[in-house]
Each structure stands twice: as C-alpha cells, then as structure tokens.
C-alpha cells in the first residue's frame, strides 16, 4: 500500500483558505520560529483522522478556523477528507469527503457520517472487519479491530522524537497507541500482509477445533471402553441369573438383554417365585387382620369391665336415698342423687344388653384363622428356601438396573 498526504487545508472564518503542500516520496521538514504553528500541523493531521480529542491551540488557530482538511493519496486514488473545527474541547462529528480529491472553494458542508468514512478508508488501507489485533495487552484485547489511525505513526515524526534517545515513534505516551505499535508494525512495513493474518487466524481456529475434536475423540474412546466393560459385567450377571444362555455371543447377549428390558417377563421359570410372593403377601394381610380384630375384642372387653366397676362405685347412691336422715343435705342434695341414680340405671341397662358384637368378631377371627392355616399349608408346599428367594429378588433388582441403564 502507498499512502501520502498531498496538502493540508484550512477554511478560515474570514472566508479565506490556507494551504500547505507536501512532496511525495520525500522527507518534508517543517521549520520555523517558536509558536508559529509547527506542532499544530501534526495535531491537525491527527484531528482529521477521527481523533476523539484534540490538541489544536484554541488561540489564533482554532478560534479563526471553520474546517480542517487533508488531500491524501491511497495507492492510485486521491481523496479529500475534511472535518469541522472543534468547539472548545468538544470534537465535531461533521465530515466532508470527496472521492476525487475535490477541494471546495468555501467552507465544506458535511456529507458523510464518521462510521461510513472509516469503513471506506479502511478498505483502501486493507483493513476490514476480519483484520483483528493478533494478541492482546492491558488496553487492547485480542480480536479487537485494527484502527487505521495507528498507521499514522509511520507518516510523521515530531520534534520530541527527533531529540529522543529511546523512542522512534510519536504518541508513545498514550497506552493504546503504545500497545498498538508492535501489533501493526509487520503490516505497516510490509513484513506481513492482511492476507497472511487472515490465514493465520483461520489456521488458529482450525487448530483449536482440531484440539477440541481430539479431546472429544479421547473421551469417546474412554466411554466406549467403559461401555463394553459394563456390558461384559451385565452379560455375566444375566448368565448367572439364567436370563440368557451361557453360550450366547456378544450380539446375542445384547439382543436378549434388549428384549428383556422392553418385554414383560412371563416365563414359566418365574411362576414359583411369583406364587410364593403372592401367598406370602396374602398370609401377611390375613395375619394383620386377625391381630387387629383380637386387639379390638380385648379393648371392648376392657370397656365392659370399666362399666361394671363404675356401676359398683355408684351403688351407695341407693343407700343414701333410703337413709338420708343422718346426712347433711344442701339445696341440690336430692337433685345430685337423682342424676347419679339415672346414670347408674343407664350403666346397668348397657351391661345387661346381649350385644352380638362379641360373637360376630369371634366368628370372623375363627374364619380368618382357618384361612391363615390354609395359606400356611399352601406356602409350605412351594419351594421357599432362603437362597432361592434371595436370588429371585436379586434377579428383579438386576432387571431394574438394566432397564435404567438402557433408558
């Protein structure tokens, strides 16, 4: 890329214009007495190229200027770029742009937005949205976009740099610019190209993707080994429970296990185990009923005993009514005796009743005891060794575990 500034233009408030021209492919040296505006020329360059703040002197220069402009050459193109003068410390967002390098006779009028102008010039500088900062720092993040402002470092040298013994580029007091220099140096001097940068970025992306795929491949291999190990253990247990044949190969074993977890087990080999469990459950239910009825009958008997004891404790009431001459009587004496006698009479009637509850419960208990004896006999007729029972339980647990793994 070839770039140089042909001329600098100032449109003054008086209606006049000032122009300063530069020679291409030459070192243009600006000399003059102190306070004659030499440094302001570099400040105007910076301001026209999208500076977010300015250092143009307000007295004499900025207070008398309406617009600042540059006529530039980028490769084989000629452009005019101008920006309205700042208002005090506030920079302007008004820009004028000519794609043929036209210089207005009077103060320019804004005709383009800053973002659009940056994109247009950036394309000529070979900088698009794909060109990013290759490595980050404290102020510049990796992957952030490269600004064409950074390339002005290679076009100007201020008085401070000429007399400096260690620095060779301007704006090294600005952290972002200081970090940008080593990141764009290779592009600026032609050591590297934008095409190469994009290729390296693409290669870096592919390398990251390859590393991720390799990591996933290793994890997949580990999972595969774990799966086959678990399958072998599951197959071995299924053979020990008689769920699959001992001579089944791996494919047959998997097919049988799949069928086992999706179909209901109804084979005749499980009939005895299921019958034993059904009879045992029914026997447990009948035994609980018998226990509950006996407990109820006992509580009912206790209730009747309490009523009898209460009736005995109320018998002195009749004696008091018939022999009350020697008794100290109050106003409610006879009323209390009357109430107690009524209670005593009700208790006697309740006790004397022949309630069929006792006989009904007794008959039900006898019936349930007969049913329990029948179930006990049926259970004894079935093979019910502890070993077989425990193995059957383990079979069901194993089937449940296998179903869970399959899901």
């Amino acid at each position: 890329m070839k770039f140089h500034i042909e001329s600098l233009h100032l449109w003054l408030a008086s209606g006049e214009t000032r122009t300063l021209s530069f020679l291409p492919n030459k070192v243009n040296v600006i000399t003059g007495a102190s306070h004659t505006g030499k440094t302001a020329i570099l400040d105007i360059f910076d301001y026209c190229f999208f500076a977010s703040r300015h250092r143009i002197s307000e007295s004499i220069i900025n207070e008398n200027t309406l617009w600042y402009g540059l006529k530039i050459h980028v490769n084989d193109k000629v452009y005019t770029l101008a920006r309205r003068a700042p208002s005090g410390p506030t920079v302007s967002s008004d820009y004028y742009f000519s794609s043929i390098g036209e210089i207005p006779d009077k103060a320019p009028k804004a005709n383009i937005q800053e973002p659009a102008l940056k994109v247009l010039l950036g394309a000529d500088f070979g900088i698009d949205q794909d060109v990013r900062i290759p490595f980050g720092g404290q102020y510049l993040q990796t992957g952030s976009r490269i600004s064409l402002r950074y390339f002005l470092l290679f076009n100007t040298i201020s008085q401070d740099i000429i007399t400096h013994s260690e620095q060779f580029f301007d704006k090294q007091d600005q952290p972002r610019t200081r970090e940008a220099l080593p990141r764009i140096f290779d592009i600026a001097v032609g050591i590297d190209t934008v095409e190469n940068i994009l290729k390296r970025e693409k290669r870096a992306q592919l390398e990251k993707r390859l590393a991720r795929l390799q990591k996933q491949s290793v994890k997949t291999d580990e999972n595969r080994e774990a799966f086959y190990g678990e399958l072998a253990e599951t197959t071995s247990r299924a053979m020990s429970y008689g769920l699959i044949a001992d001579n089944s190969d791996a494919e047959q074993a998997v097919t049988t296990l799949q069928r086992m977890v999706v179909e209901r087990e109804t084979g005749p080999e499980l009939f005895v185990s299921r019958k034993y469990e059904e009879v045992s459950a029914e026997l447990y239910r009948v035994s609980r009923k018998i226990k509950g009825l006996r407990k109820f009958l006992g509580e009912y008997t206790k209730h009747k005993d309490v009523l009898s004891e209460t009736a005995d404790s109320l018998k002195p009431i009749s004696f008091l009514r018939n022999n009350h001459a020697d008794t100290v009587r109050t106003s409610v004496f006879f009323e209390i005796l009357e109430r107690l006698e009524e209670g005593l009479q009700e208790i006697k009637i309740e006790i004397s009743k022949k309630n069929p509850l006792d006989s009904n419960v007794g008959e039900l208990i006898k019936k349930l005891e007969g049913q329990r004896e029948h179930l006990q006999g049926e259970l004894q007729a079935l093979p019910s060794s502890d070993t077989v029972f425990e193995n059957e339980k383990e079979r069901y647990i194993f089937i449940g575990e296998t179903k869970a793994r399959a899901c």
Side-chain angles (χ1 to χ4, degrees), residues 362-403:
E363 290 296 327
L364 184 57
I365 290 175
K366 288 181 180 180
K367 183 178 178 180
L368 290 173
E369 286 179 342
Q371 186 177 352
R372 182 173 64 179
E373 290 178 2
H374 174 74
L375 291 171
Q376 288 174 342
E378 187 176 355
L379 194 63
Q380 290 175 357
L382 295 173
S384 58
S385 66
D386 293 340
T387 304
V388 174
F389 184 63
E390 290 298 325
N391 285 341
E392 292 304 325
K393 287 202 301 185
E394 291 177 1
R395 284 162 64 107
Y396 284 118
I397 293 173
F398 169 74
I399 293 173
E401 291 176 349
T402 305
K403 287 181 180 180

Side-chain angles (χ1 to χ4, degrees), residues 313-329 332-338 340-341 344:
S313 64
L314 293 176
K315 286 181 179 180
I317 299 302
S318 301
F319 176 80
L320 291 175
R321 174 177 285 278
N322 298 327
N323 302 278
H324 56 75
D326 298 330
T327 305
V328 177
R329 295 185 294 271
V332 295
F333 176 76
F334 290 104
E335 184 179 354
I336 293 174
L337 288 180
E338 184 178 353
L340 291 174
E341 283 183 336
L344 176 61

Side-chain angles (χ1 to χ4, degrees), residues 38-56:
K38 300 186 300 299
T39 304
I41 294 175
L42 299 184
D43 293 335
I44 293 171
F45 288 168
D46 186 63
Y47 178 72
C48 289
F49 276 100
F50 318 112
S52 58
R53 57 183 180 178
H54 75 94
R55 295 189 294 184
I56 302 174

Side-chain angles (χ1 to χ4, degrees), residues 256-325:
T256 304
L257 289 173
Q258 289 175 340
R259 186 173 63 252
M260 180 188 70
V261 299
V262 298
E263 297 178 0
R264 184 179 178 181
E265 293 293 329
T266 58
E269 69 279 359
L270 298 179
F271 173 77
V272 174
S273 174
R274 289 179 178 173
K275 185 65 176 177
Y276 188 93
E277 292 178 0
E278 292 174 1
V279 174
S280 298
E282 182 66 17
L283 178 61
Y284 176 74
R285 187 179 63 82
V286 171
S287 298
R288 284 184 60 86
K289 280 187 176 182
I290 293 172
K291 183 178 179 181
L293 289 173
R294 284 179 174 172
K295 184 178 180 180
F296 169 76
L297 193 58
E299 293 294 332
Y300 183 69
T301 302
K302 289 181 180 179
H303 171 68
K304 293 179 67 175
D305 293 341
V306 170
L307 288 178
S308 299
E309 293 176 358
T310 304
D312 292 339
S313 64
L314 293 176
K315 286 181 179 180
I317 299 302
S318 301
F319 176 80
L320 291 175
R321 174 177 285 278
N322 298 327
N323 302 278
H324 56 75

Side-chain angles (χ1 to χ4, degrees), residues 92-346:
S92 175
S93 60
D94 294 336
Y95 288 86
Y96 166 81
F97 177 75
S98 171
S99 60
I100 58 175
E102 182 181 0
I103 307 295
D105 294 332
K106 297 182 179 180
K109 293 183 179 181
N111 63 358
I112 192 170
Q113 297 293 323
E114 181 177 308
L117 183 55
K118 284 183 177 180
V119 172
L120 191 151
L121 292 179
D124 285 318
F125 275 77
I127 304 170
D128 57 24
Q129 61 181 1
D130 294 326
V131 183
R132 304 284 177 170
I133 296 292
F135 54 95
Q138 185 177 357
Y139 298 94
L140 294 177
Q141 295 182 351
T142 302
S144 58
R145 296 185 61 180
I146 293 178
S147 172
L148 61 87
R149 283 176 46 79
Y150 297 148
F151 293 93
L152 296 179
L153 294 171
F154 304 95
N155 293 92
T156 61
I157 299 177
S158 66
Q159 172 180 298
D160 296 335
I161 297 302
I162 294 174
T163 59
H164 207 290
S165 62
E166 296 180 357
Q167 294 184 2
F168 300 94
F169 297 93
D170 284 321
K171 300 182 180 179
Q172 295 307 290
D173 58 331
Q174 301 177 13
R176 291 181 63 85
T177 306
R178 185 171 61 251
E179 286 191 354
L181 179 59
R183 290 163 173 80
I184 66 167
F185 184 83
D186 289 350
I187 300 177
V189 299
I191 296 176
D192 206 350
T193 63
V194 172
E195 183 180 2
N196 288 339
I197 291 177
L198 297 178
K199 287 181 179 179
R200 284 199 302 271
E201 291 179 353
K202 185 65 175 179
R203 184 181 67 183
Q205 293 176 359
L206 293 175
E207 288 176 348
K208 289 181 180 179
R209 184 181 179 187
L210 178 60
R212 184 168 62 252
L213 292 175
Q214 289 175 341
K215 186 176 180 179
Q216 292 177 352
S217 177
V218 172
K219 188 175 181 179
T220 301
D221 291 339
E222 292 175 352
N223 292 338
R224 184 183 294 109
E225 292 178 0
F227 168 76
Y228 283 115
E230 186 175 339
L231 177 61
E233 188 269 339
T234 301
T235 303
S236 176
R237 289 183 61 189
M239 289 180 179
S240 67
Y241 292 131
L243 296 174
I244 59 177
D246 293 342
N247 58 351
S248 300
D249 57 23
E251 185 176 353
Q252 292 174 339
V254 171
T255 302
T256 304
L257 289 173
Q258 289 175 340
R259 186 173 63 252
M260 180 188 70
V261 299
V262 298
E263 297 178 0
R264 184 179 178 181
E265 293 293 329
T266 58
E269 69 279 359
L270 298 179
F271 173 77
V272 174
S273 174
R274 289 179 178 173
K275 185 65 176 177
Y276 188 93
E277 292 178 0
E278 292 174 1
V279 174
S280 298
E282 182 66 17
L283 178 61
Y284 176 74
R285 187 179 63 82
V286 171
S287 298
R288 284 184 60 86
K289 280 187 176 182
I290 293 172
K291 183 178 179 181
L293 289 173
R294 284 179 174 172
K295 184 178 180 180
F296 169 76
L297 193 58
E299 293 294 332
Y300 183 69
T301 302
K302 289 181 180 179
H303 171 68
K304 293 179 67 175
D305 293 341
V306 170
L307 288 178
S308 299
E309 293 176 358
T310 304
D312 292 339
S313 64
L314 293 176
K315 286 181 179 180
I317 299 302
S318 301
F319 176 80
L320 291 175
R321 174 177 285 278
N322 298 327
N323 302 278
H324 56 75
D326 298 330
T327 305
V328 177
R329 295 185 294 271
T330 64
S331 59
V332 295
F333 176 76
F334 290 104
E335 184 179 354
I336 293 174
L337 288 180
E338 184 178 353
R339 297 295 184 188
L340 291 174
E341 283 183 336
E342 290 177 358
L344 176 61
Q345 189 64 28
E346 290 177 359

